[in-house]
């Protein structure tokens, strides 16, 4: 089965520090997504990409940057981490289906910013 | 903009009884797909159902949903829930011309013995 993996799985960071979350997919999908999940808010889209070299802003991009250096890899970067960015982050790849991707999620990264 | 409204919060159902989780949406697009994702505790979300055909019933793992564009709804139903159905459920419409989805806030289904 095709897979989406994320690293690290758990991360503790300090306020003001830089955090990079990595995602790798072997689905050969063009589309990749970064979400954060918070109780009461569900899954919210941060950034997404339609292919290597491209990134697009999602619904809540402030405080985050994204990088897609290759088909397989998509990173989420927090240049100056803040406690409000404490959350669970999910990466997903999408199959480019008409009218909306079927998305395949990674296992998630738990980020705690102190 | 596009939006989706789900039954909010917690739905508690006794094992063996039926359940319906509501999902209604607003979208400017006509040619869109609709999804239900399920997330079990400490796991990633995964696809449960997908549909893009109006008035067609879609089934998987004992759950079913019918897309009704006339009422902008895609409710999730099961006739007899099991303890293993306890999970967080997300409704998510797509967008014509785009691939990204808009996820609802999610509904927690708790099945009690």
């Amino acid at each position: 089965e095709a897979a989406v993996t994320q690293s690290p799985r758990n991360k503790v960071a300090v306020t003001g520090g830089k955090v990079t979350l990595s995602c790798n997919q072997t689905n050969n999908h063009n589309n990749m997504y970064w979400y954060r999940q918070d109780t009461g808010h569900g899954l919210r889209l941060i950034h997404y990409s339609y292919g290597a070299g491209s990134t697009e802003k999602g619904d809540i991009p402030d405080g985050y940057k994204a990088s897609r250096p290759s088909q397989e890899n998509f990173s989420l970067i927090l240049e100056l981490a803040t406690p409000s960015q404490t959350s669970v982050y999910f990466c997903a790849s999408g199959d480019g289906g008409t009218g909306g991707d079927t998305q395949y999620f990674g296992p998630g990264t738990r980020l705690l910013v102190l | 903009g596009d939006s989706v409204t789900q039954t909010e919060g917690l739905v508690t159902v006794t094992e063996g009884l039926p359940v319906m989780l509501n999902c209604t949406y607003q979208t400017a697009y006509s040619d869109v797909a609709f999804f239900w994702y399920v997330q079990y505790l400490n796991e990633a979300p995964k696809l449960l159902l997908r549909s893009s055909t109006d008035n067609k019933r879609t089934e998987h793992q004992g759950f079913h949903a019918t897309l009704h564009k006339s009422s902008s709804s895609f409710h999730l139903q099961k006739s007899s829930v099991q303890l293993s159905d306890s999970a967080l459920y997300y409704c998510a419409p797509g967008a014509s011309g785009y691939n990204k989805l808009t996820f609802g806030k999610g509904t927690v289904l708790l099945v009690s013995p």
Side-chain angles (χ1 to χ4, degrees):
Chain A
E1 184 175 331
V4 180
T5 57
Q6 295 181 230
S7 62
R9 293 294 312 278
N10 294 280
K11 174 74 176 178
V12 179
V14 296
T15 297
K18 182 177 180 178
V19 177
T20 300
L21 306 183
S22 299
C23 178
N24 177 275
Q25 56 109 352
T26 59
N27 297 324
N28 197 31
H29 289 159
N30 289 331
N31 303 335
M32 295 188 75
Y33 303 86
W34 276 107
Y35 296 90
R36 64 178 285 175
Q37 183 177 45
D38 304 283
T39 303
H41 292 280
L43 286 166
R44 293 182 290 174
L45 182 63
I46 306 170
H47 285 287
Y48 59 102
S49 169
Y50 287 140
S54 89
T55 61
E56 304 287 340
K57 293 181 179 180
D59 299 321
I60 54 164
D62 293 346
Y64 303 93
K65 297 171 75 172
S67 174
R68 181 86 181 271
S70 65
Q71 177 83 339
E72 297 79 18
N73 295 296
F74 190 35
S75 297
L76 185 68
I77 303 148
L78 291 65
E79 295 277 4
L80 295 170
T82 68
S84 64
Q85 294 175 313
T86 292
S87 188
V88 179
Y89 291 85
F90 286 99
C91 173
S93 72
D95 67 359
T98 302
D101 276 344
T102 295
Q103 297 186 10
Y104 300 86
F105 285 81
T109 294
R110 291 185 178 275
L111 174 64
L112 173 63
V113 182
L114 300 175
Chain B
D2 295 355
S3 65
V4 55
T5 302
Q6 295 186 231
T7 303
E8 288 195 8
L10 174 66
V11 172
T12 303
V13 182
T14 302
E15 186 179 19
L17 294 182
V19 68
M20 184 168 78
L21 305 183
N22 292 336
C23 174
T24 57
Y25 61 89
Q26 288 186 312
T27 180
Y29 305 101
S30 59
D31 182 21
V32 299
F34 289 83
F35 302 79
W36 276 99
Y37 278 79
V38 59
Q39 185 178 16
Y40 300 103
L41 189 63
N42 294 324
E43 295 186 11
K46 61 180 182 180
L47 179 69
L48 180 60
L49 291 173
R50 179 189 190 277
S51 177
S52 58
T53 305
D54 198 12
N55 298 314
K56 179 180 179 181
R57 175 172 165 140
T58 301
E59 299 190 38
H60 186 60
Q61 293 183 358
F63 285 91
H64 63 92
T66 303
L67 177 59
H68 293 295
K69 293 185 178 181
S70 61
S71 58
S72 300
S73 67
F74 190 52
H75 305 322
L76 182 68
Q77 301 182 66
K78 190 171 187 181
S79 59
S80 175
V81 295
Q82 303 173 345
L83 294 174
S84 58
D85 293 327
S86 294
L88 174 61
Y89 292 81
Y90 286 107
C91 179
S96 179
Y98 299 88
N99 296 122
K100 64 187 179 80
L101 308 180
T102 299
F103 284 86
K105 293 184 178 181
T107 303
V108 175
L109 173 63
L110 180 62
V111 180
S112 60

